[in-house]
Amino acid sequence: MKKLMSIGVAVEAYAKVNFTLEVLGKREDGYHDLRSLVVPVSLSDTITLTKAEKTGIEITAENPIIDLSKMGAPEKNLAVRAAELMREVGGIKESVHIKIQKRIPLGGGMGGGSADAAAVINGLNELWSLGLEKQKLAELGAQIGSDVPALVLGGAVMMEGRGERVRPFDCGGSRIEKGGKRYWLVLVNPGVFSSTPQIFKSLKHIQENRLEILSNMRLALSKGNEELVAKALQNDLSDAAFDAYPEVASAAKALKDAGALGVLMSGSGASVFGLVRNYEHGQEVQAKLKDFQWSVIAQTCEI
Ligand code: C5P
């Protein structure tokens, strides 16, 4: 986080992918119980928060795939709602102007809107010297959206419940010896806007608890082995999204055909990612994705 004199802060809001996403059950409140390993990636929106008399938001995007007309009303924007919540909790009189330079595709399952809200929560905690602990900030984030707590916490996170239960992910002792590893990914967005409620609603059946999904991923990550991680990738929402949006299935197939070690949809889509060996392998894979307007090579945080 960069301090801008005493008048503001600039925060990078990192996108995420889900290395595993299991749907464990449907809840009374209409949400689903999940278990997911959420991993931030090196693609970010830049958020600048400056003191203001009135809350305001200004969003810019250089990439035409980010269609700002799909952003919805400013008062519904997750970043604005997060700012209002922080103002209320902190008993702050002044307002804040939020500037967002967007690079994370909208409706893409990479947590763009949630990452912005999380950055606002962390940024205002700093700007207004509120001194709230991460777990408290994550709790506040849950009031804004299910993906927000994990992104408030940052780093690789084990997310459970609706998304409100979050803790740093630990894949075992050997990770500490190795100092964590960063994985290379090719992210692809097929240019469709995936509706999270629709994907959850169209889930045909909920599978039985499969403990091996997380244990396989844990083992793969503790060994730091890309091939094993590629095999352990799992997202229970993929089939529903592939049915709803054939473009998502095509993007996944294209990544596989281009030679990615493993391919998975992120969150509820529409973005998919391919795990690759290294940056050069990422370049080779990306060069074969001519049909897609948007693809980037990115790295995960240390796991
Ligand atoms: O919490 P958020 O607003 O991001 O959720 C959007 C929608 O996604 C919810 O209204 C719900 O339909 C669905 N959802 C769910 N279970 C979750 C998270 C989201 O059913 N754990």
Side-chain angles (χ1 to χ4, degrees):
M1 200 176 303
K2 251 193 277 171
K3 281 214 173 198
L4 308 172
M5 311 291 281
S6 61
I7 53 145
V9 287
V11 197
E12 289 305 302
Y14 290 99
K16 58 83 182 169
V17 295
N18 305 71
F19 269 16
T20 62
L21 194 164
E22 299 167 73
V23 181
L24 304 179
K26 188 159 193 264
R27 302 165 27 143
E28 299 267 301
D29 61 6
Y31 282 86
H32 292 76
D33 271 322
L34 308 177
R35 181 164 57 210
S36 180
L37 169 56
V38 181
V39 181
V41 296
S42 58
L43 165 73
S44 61
D45 292 343
T46 302
I47 315 283
T48 314
L49 302 167
T50 41
K51 289 181 183 179
E53 292 288 310
K54 232 177 123 210
T55 303
I57 185 161
E58 178 189 345
I59 305 171
T60 58
E62 281 168 21
N63 192 323
I65 198 165
I66 297 175
D67 179 359
L68 293 178
S69 69
K70 293 213 171 110
M71 288 287 293
E75 66 278 9
K76 287 200 182 144
N77 186 288
L78 299 188
V80 172
R81 286 179 40 210
E84 294 296 358
L85 180 64
M86 290 301 280
R87 208 159 75 97
E88 202 182 298
V89 169
I92 302 289
K93 291 212 172 58
E94 71 190 26
S95 282
V96 67
H97 183 77
I98 306 168
K99 189 170 164 224
I100 306 180
Q101 287 164 270
K102 278 216 84 67
R103 296 180 204 93
I104 309 170
L106 310 177
M110 291 194 287
S114 306
D116 295 347
V120 167
I121 289 173
N122 284 327
L124 289 181
N125 188 44
E126 183 80 18
L127 183 67
W128 290 334
S129 305
L130 301 180
L132 299 171
E133 302 283 341
K134 276 280 177 188
Q135 278 296 342
K136 174 68 188 167
L137 296 172
E139 243 170 64
L140 294 172
Q143 296 181 37
I144 306 296
S146 303
D147 275 338
V148 182
L151 296 163
V152 165
L153 208 57
V157 168
M158 201 60 238
M159 171 180 118
E160 288 173 294
R162 162 175 89 83
E164 77 284 10
R165 293 209 311 272
V166 289
R167 61 196 147 86
F169 177 74
D170 181 0
C171 67
S174 55
R175 179 188 71 143
I176 295 159
E177 285 149 34
K178 283 182 186 168
K181 178 172 164 121
R182 302 183 73 188
Y183 294 85
W184 286 98
L185 308 174
V186 179
L187 310 171
V188 178
N189 185 276
V192 288
F193 193 104
S194 173
S195 155
T196 303
Q198 190 198 330
I199 297 301
F200 273 104
K201 222 182 271 166
S202 61
L203 264 183
K204 291 204 181 77
H205 66 279
I206 294 190
Q207 305 201 48
E208 280 187 23
N209 199 352
R210 293 143 297 156
L211 291 173
E212 69 280 7
I213 289 179
L214 199 56
S215 58
N216 287 344
M217 182 55 81
R218 232 181 248 288
L219 184 67
L221 292 168
S222 71
K223 288 186 187 297
N225 179 310
E226 284 90 0
E227 259 100 19
L228 289 180
V229 174
K231 270 197 208 132
L233 296 170
Q234 170 70 29
N235 185 339
D236 289 351
L237 298 175
S238 300
D239 288 345
F242 288 180
D243 285 348
Y245 308 104
E247 299 89 339
V248 180
S250 305
K253 182 173 182 309
L255 265 171
K256 217 169 259 168
D257 293 347
L261 302 175
V263 176
L264 197 71
M265 181 178 82
S266 184
S268 57
S271 302
V272 291
F273 65 93
L275 188 70
V276 290
R277 250 174 248 114
N278 47 37
Y279 180 72
E280 290 70 29
H281 185 204
Q283 282 183 309
E284 273 170 43
V285 168
Q286 194 186 32
K288 294 179 189 151
L289 299 170
K290 300 248 172 350
D291 292 346
F292 299 92
Q293 263 184 14
W294 188 96
S295 68
V296 298
I297 304 171
Q299 242 185 328
T300 64
C301 64
E302 279 189 3
I303 315 174

